[in-house]
Amino acid sequence: MSKVIMSGNEAVARGAWEGGVTVAAAYPGTPSTEILENVALYKNDIYCEWAPNEAVAAEVGLGAAVGGARSMVTFKHVGMNVATDPIFVAGYTGVNGGLVFVDADDPGCHSSQNEQDNRWYAPHAKLAMLEPSDSQECKDFMRDAFKLSEKYDIAVLLRMTTRVCHSKSLVELGDRDGAEVKPYVSNKEKYSLLPANALKRHPIVEGNLRRLAEDAETLPFNKVEDNGSDIGVITSGISYQYVKEVFGDSANILKLGLTYPFPEKLISDFASKQKTLYVVEENDPFLETEVKALGFKCTGKDKIPGCGELNAAVVKEALTGVKDPSVYEVAGDVPSRPPMLCAGCPHRGFFDVISRSHKRLVLAGDIGCYGLGTYDYSFCMGAGFSSTVGMAKALELQGDKRKVLGMVGDSTFFHSGVNGLFDIFSTQVNVIACILDNSITAMTGHQDNPGTTKNLMGEDKPAISIEAVVRAIGFTDENIRVVDPLDLKAMQAALNDGINYTGPFVIITKRPCALIREVRKANAGKFYIVDTEKCTGCKVCVGVTCPALSFENGAAKIDPSQCTGCGLCAQKCHFGAIIKGGEF
Amino acid sequence: MATTGILLCGVGGQGTVTFSNILTKGLMDLGYDVKMSEIHGMAQRGGAVTTQVRYGEKVYSPSLGFGQADIIISFEKCEAVRNIAYLREGGIVITDTCELNGLPILQGTAEYPHGILDELEKTVPNVMVVEANKVAADLGNVVVANIVLLGAMVKAMHLEAADWTGIIESSVPPKTIDLNKAAFNAGYAM
């Protein structure tokens, strides 16, 4: 079969299909999101869903695997933290149908709050771990992971990194195999982890891992390249590509594809033959710790950075001292270009209003497009609500009169924000909880969520009303406001009500993301223009920082190709100088 | 091991993805091993984006280091300068004259360096300035500016042997095939 070019994420989806997966669940998170989007291409063969959060996704996957279906669950590295409760359970129950957790780490923090190295989860949760280094391996390892899972009765962690997920390389495709669902037979001793059962499961699980460790010595995931060199390198994942780039065939290489359980004999045999031994890996010294525990001296994190993403140049400089210099330097500064809220973004109106009251507020951010707005701190999914309870207490204890305002998006509300809102209501804490509902999981590229009317397979589904959930908690007309955030007067009135209220207060800002196809269609042809005779050049409008709006030759200027006609800047103008130009 | 490196740079939403999809298919058509690396995520919200393509007999790393790009294709002129460290000695820069304001400029804390191309040309010998947006607009739609740049790149890198017309036909929406072919030819003729 001829080769096709695929990203690592596309290849994992293909490998899952070839490997006979029938159930797939995930919560979106860069760099993992496209895996399930590509699994959905096989929706006739695979049931797939966006779960409300990663823990739910992992439990859907575990339920399916115990039920007999080959299943997969994907998440980004910090998403795996959310899912670890069921993942650690899967480590003890083992499987019936094969179960594969696909984790995407983000060295270099391209789109994450940390660089955590999730390889440690494999020994911690008693999972087998595979680390592909290119798209072909993504596909092959994913396909084989299901067989591995079933043969050793163990859940498998396929660990990727941003550069593996989002790089494209050539892949030879195969056929689908093993999609038959195994019969579900009740087995409480295996699948109900009551203390007595769990205690009995523990040695069985350790035995399964040992069995795999013995076979790992010869399994084809691990490869030795003996080039008769004095230098030996142990490596895995994308780091292998950097090692090959630097050394070519001038070093011996032990490339580990199965990085847990460790093939101890293979590592020892290789290490004992090398005059100089390097361990090259991104982030933490995961392999290096094992090599050292086996009694071998090696060079690893003492030379190779543990912080930031590696590339061939970094590895080369660390191990050979040779630096690839830049050749050209151009005089003059190029202004930075950070990501920003899109033209027509409904969040812009929300941030314009709350930032004007910022002195009276402590703003708790969360994870989503609104991370591009104004806030004082931002932790993790859902903390935009739950942390406000603790922050409000701490401020009260020090006599700080500022009110805490927390924000979560619609998808984050369903993910974990709702639990924080339970606490806000139960404790009757004096905070403002804002749900920025743009009717989509926007930041990761428009995935559906419990509040939308479609599922991942493109079918209609009922939407859960956020307002109805909030009212069910106990909020009433007294302490709920639902507003269009691009209506600045209404938004300001809602905020004032919230600031003046004592006790928990909810503001739901409701306006769909400007990039949703239907919204784009509805906004096509709409744009505003500047009446340059009326414009005084006061720059109040450009203060909203919209990509469609700039300031040139002493007056505001609107790019009609970018403007969506949201009218926010027109509301800001004191002189009536911004007027409708397109077809409204 | 000789590999060739191409760096595409621009601003989220400028069509670098379509460009690199067509490019990689063409390189495969020529029998090369190809790897491409692009970072998604926050960048799609108007941030700076780069895509790195490497090809040759055998490619290992999907990403380029400083001084390793044989050519930089820039969809926005500031971005060419931002990524100039990747260019190898004697490498080529093809850049559009397009100017897009980033956040600091919109906030009024920075000004667009309109004369930046003059500085680029003073330092780098092989700079080719292509008014791709203007050419595309004259052809009927600015969205094919990326394909104008593709045509210019194919000529500069002597990659004519691939079936670019066929690949464009199978890669773009049917209604836009003629427009895209015209854009490619216009870029190639520059």
Side-chain angles (χ1 to χ4, degrees):
Chain A
M1 198 179 267
S2 67
K3 291 188 173 183
V4 295
I5 190 159
M6 283 183 154
S7 69
N9 283 348
E10 289 169 319
V12 165
R14 174 70 190 195
W17 178 81
E18 288 183 10
V21 78
T22 46
V23 175
Y27 183 79
T30 313
S32 71
T33 311
E34 301 86 3
I35 300 171
L36 257 267
E37 289 180 329
N38 281 283
V39 165
L41 301 177
Y42 305 101
K43 62 187 179 186
N44 293 333
D45 295 328
I46 306 169
Y47 166 81
C48 52
E49 67 163 65
W50 291 125
N53 66 36
E54 295 86 350
V56 173
E59 285 154 2
V60 168
L62 180 56
V66 168
R70 287 189 170 176
S71 61
M72 68 186 287
V73 181
T74 75
F75 27 66
K76 68 181 294 174
H77 59 339
V78 291
M80 188 167 179
N81 298 340
V82 177
T84 44
D85 200 0
I87 287 170
F88 276 66
V89 168
Y92 266 44
T93 60
V95 303
N96 179 19
L99 174 58
V100 183
F101 298 114
V102 183
D103 156 66
D105 287 7
D106 190 19
C109 286
H110 294 286
S111 49
S112 309
Q113 65 264 44
N114 71 24
E115 291 192 289
Q116 71 181 53
D117 189 333
N118 279 6
R119 291 180 298 171
W120 301 107
Y121 272 132
H124 198 187
K126 308 198 181 300
L127 312 171
M129 176 162 60
L130 297 169
E131 285 188 74
S133 69
D134 63 14
S135 297
Q136 182 71 55
E137 286 186 350
C138 283
K139 196 213 67 153
D140 293 345
F141 285 12
M142 187 66 194
R143 178 198 61 205
D144 296 340
F146 294 101
K147 286 179 199 151
L148 208 64
S149 172
E150 288 172 8
K151 183 171 177 192
Y152 298 93
D153 193 7
I154 226 170
V156 176
L157 177 65
L158 186 92
R159 188 260 189 172
M160 306 168 75
T161 53
T162 301
R163 201 58 70 168
V164 174
C165 294
H166 285 171
S167 291
K168 292 192 175 187
S169 56
L170 307 188
V171 179
E172 202 169 319
L173 304 180
D175 294 325
R176 185 160 163 88
D177 177 38
E180 307 79 27
V181 176
K182 292 184 173 181
Y184 169 65
V185 181
S186 180
N187 184 349
K188 282 185 90 169
E189 288 197 347
K190 187 169 190 286
Y191 299 127
S192 294
L193 291 186
L194 301 167
N197 291 345
L199 205 56
K200 281 186 210 152
R201 285 295 305 163
H202 193 181
I204 297 172
V205 170
E206 298 295 346
N208 289 342
L209 278 168
R210 261 198 311 278
R211 215 157 40 93
L212 176 55
E214 282 162 20
D215 291 356
E217 305 291 351
T218 52
L219 281 170
F221 300 108
N222 303 322
K223 285 187 181 125
V224 175
E225 295 177 19
D226 187 351
N227 291 311
S229 170
D230 288 345
I231 297 171
V233 185
I234 299 176
T235 187
S236 70
I238 191 70
S239 302
Y240 166 76
Q241 308 293 353
Y242 304 147
V243 167
K244 286 297 285 183
E245 198 69 40
V246 173
F247 292 103
D249 294 334
S250 71
N252 307 321
I253 298 173
L254 171 57
K255 178 188 179 300
L256 295 173
L258 177 67
T259 46
Y260 194 80
F262 301 108
E264 294 186 356
K265 255 173 61 189
L266 186 67
I267 293 173
S268 299
D269 284 353
F270 181 83
S272 62
K273 288 178 193 160
Q274 313 305 324
K275 279 195 182 150
T276 306
L277 182 63
Y278 298 133
V279 179
V280 180
E281 56 193 324
E282 237 165 4
N283 285 353
D284 295 347
F286 179 77
L287 298 174
E288 182 183 342
T289 302
E290 172 65 13
V291 170
K292 285 181 170 163
L294 289 170
F296 297 98
K297 278 188 185 160
C298 62
T299 294
K301 290 295 152 186
D302 48 334
K303 286 204 172 162
I304 295 167
C307 303
E309 191 183 20
L310 294 185
N311 58 44
V314 171
V315 173
K316 186 176 176 182
E317 193 182 348
L319 297 184
T320 68
V322 179
K323 193 174 176 178
D324 287 332
S326 55
V327 182
Y328 300 106
E329 271 181 44
V330 178
D333 283 336
V334 178
S336 68
R337 194 186 297 279
M340 60 191 293
L341 296 173
C342 306
C345 177
H347 299 332
R348 185 172 282 106
F350 170 80
F351 284 113
D352 185 68
V353 169
I354 63 162
S355 57
R356 270 181 284 141
S357 297
H358 198 162
K359 280 186 185 156
R360 302 160 70 188
L361 300 167
V362 170
L363 303 174
D366 208 297
I367 313 293
C369 288
Y370 43 96
L372 302 172
T374 309
Y375 45 87
D376 294 296
Y377 67 87
S378 162
F379 300 154
C380 57
M381 294 286 291
F385 274 3
S386 37
S387 74
T388 63
V389 178
M391 179 60 76
K393 281 288 164 223
L395 294 182
E396 186 189 320
L397 289 169
Q398 60 196 289
D400 189 327
K401 297 274 189 248
R402 285 179 296 170
K403 190 156 188 168
V404 185
L405 180 149
M407 61 192 88
V408 304
D410 48 326
S411 195
T412 306
F413 176 76
F414 292 113
H415 178 281
S416 46
V418 66
N419 296 82
L421 194 59
F422 294 153
D423 200 40
I424 286 169
F425 189 77
S426 291
T427 58
Q428 287 292 298
V429 65
N430 184 25
V431 301
I432 304 171
C434 300
I435 301 158
L436 313 187
D437 179 3
N438 61 359
S439 309
I440 203 80
T441 313
M443 188 50 136
T444 44
H446 283 197
Q447 291 74 33
D448 283 295
N449 65 50
T452 67
T453 56
K454 291 271 184 210
N455 66 20
L456 175 57
M457 298 186 288
E459 301 158 343
D460 292 329
K461 71 167 177 66
I464 299 174
S465 156
I466 292 173
E467 187 182 346
V469 172
V470 173
R471 286 185 186 276
I473 291 171
F475 291 88
T476 63
D477 287 343
E478 194 190 350
N479 52 358
I480 302 183
R481 297 292 179 275
V482 181
V483 289
D484 175 356
L486 290 179
D487 179 344
L488 291 179
K489 273 187 190 150
M491 184 62 230
Q492 186 68 59
L495 180 67
N496 292 346
D497 289 349
I499 289 173
N500 296 328
Y501 188 80
T502 303
F505 193 91
V506 168
I507 298 173
I508 302 172
T509 71
K510 213 166 160 46
R511 174 114 167 181
C513 171
L515 298 185
I516 294 175
R517 191 180 295 133
E518 291 75 19
V519 178
R520 285 178 118 142
K521 261 189 201 161
N523 288 338
K526 292 181 185 173
F527 59 86
Y528 277 78
I529 53 173
V530 177
D531 181 341
T532 46
E533 291 200 353
K534 284 187 181 168
C535 179
T536 64
C538 73
K539 291 191 178 177
V540 165
C541 60
V542 284
V544 302
T545 59
C546 172
L549 189 62
S550 56
F551 193 79
E552 265 177 41
N553 304 324
K557 188 184 165 193
I558 293 170
D559 174 0
S561 71
Q562 289 201 66
C563 180
T564 66
C566 80
L568 187 73
C569 55
Q571 292 175 64
K572 299 290 288 184
C573 181
H574 303 307
F575 306 99
I578 299 180
I579 50 176
K580 285 179 180 174
E583 293 166 21
F584 280 81
Chain B
M1 209 165 304
T3 56
T4 305
I6 300 174
L7 185 130
L8 314 177
C9 52
V11 178
Q14 278 194 302
T16 52
V17 174
T18 310
F19 182 111
S20 55
N21 280 343
I22 295 172
L23 171 60
T24 50
K25 283 182 199 167
L27 295 170
M28 286 169 68
D29 191 40
L30 292 169
Y32 290 116
D33 186 22
V34 186
K35 284 192 179 175
M36 174 180 123
S37 182
E38 59 189 357
I39 298 299
H40 313 213
M42 311 272 284
Q44 65 185 306
R45 307 285 176 258
V49 293
T50 62
T51 301
Q52 305 180 351
V53 178
R54 303 186 70 214
Y55 64 96
E57 198 184 324
K58 175 71 189 168
V59 180
Y60 290 107
S61 170
S63 53
L64 291 165
F66 286 166
Q68 288 185 344
D70 294 85
I71 186 166
I72 291 177
I73 319 289
S74 182
F75 289 56
E76 204 273 357
K77 64 190 198 186
C78 267
E79 297 310 309
V81 176
R82 194 189 311 284
N83 291 288
I84 202 66
Y86 287 95
L87 195 67
R88 75 163 165 79
E89 190 163 9
I92 305 165
V93 175
I94 297 180
T95 181
D96 195 350
T97 51
C98 170
E99 293 183 359
L100 291 174
N101 293 326
L103 192 60
I105 297 167
L106 296 172
Q107 285 172 332
T109 57
E111 276 188 30
Y112 197 97
H114 299 290
I116 198 81
L117 278 188
D118 296 337
E119 295 300 323
L120 181 68
E121 286 177 315
K122 269 186 217 165
T123 319
V124 181
N126 301 325
V127 177
M128 180 179 173
V129 178
V130 175
E131 294 201 44
N133 268 278
K134 190 172 172 294
V135 171
D138 290 346
L139 288 170
N141 197 333
V142 288
V143 298
V144 295
N146 56 348
I147 305 301
V148 175
L149 289 168
L150 179 71
M153 189 217 71
V154 165
K155 189 174 188 183
M157 298 299 286
H158 312 294
L159 294 169
E160 290 88 349
D163 177 19
W164 296 107
T165 310
I167 295 165
I168 288 171
E169 279 175 7
S170 63
S171 307
V172 302
K175 279 185 197 166
T176 68
I177 288 175
D178 289 341
L179 178 65
N180 276 284
K181 279 196 219 167
F184 181 87
N185 291 335
Y188 186 81
M190 283 177 166

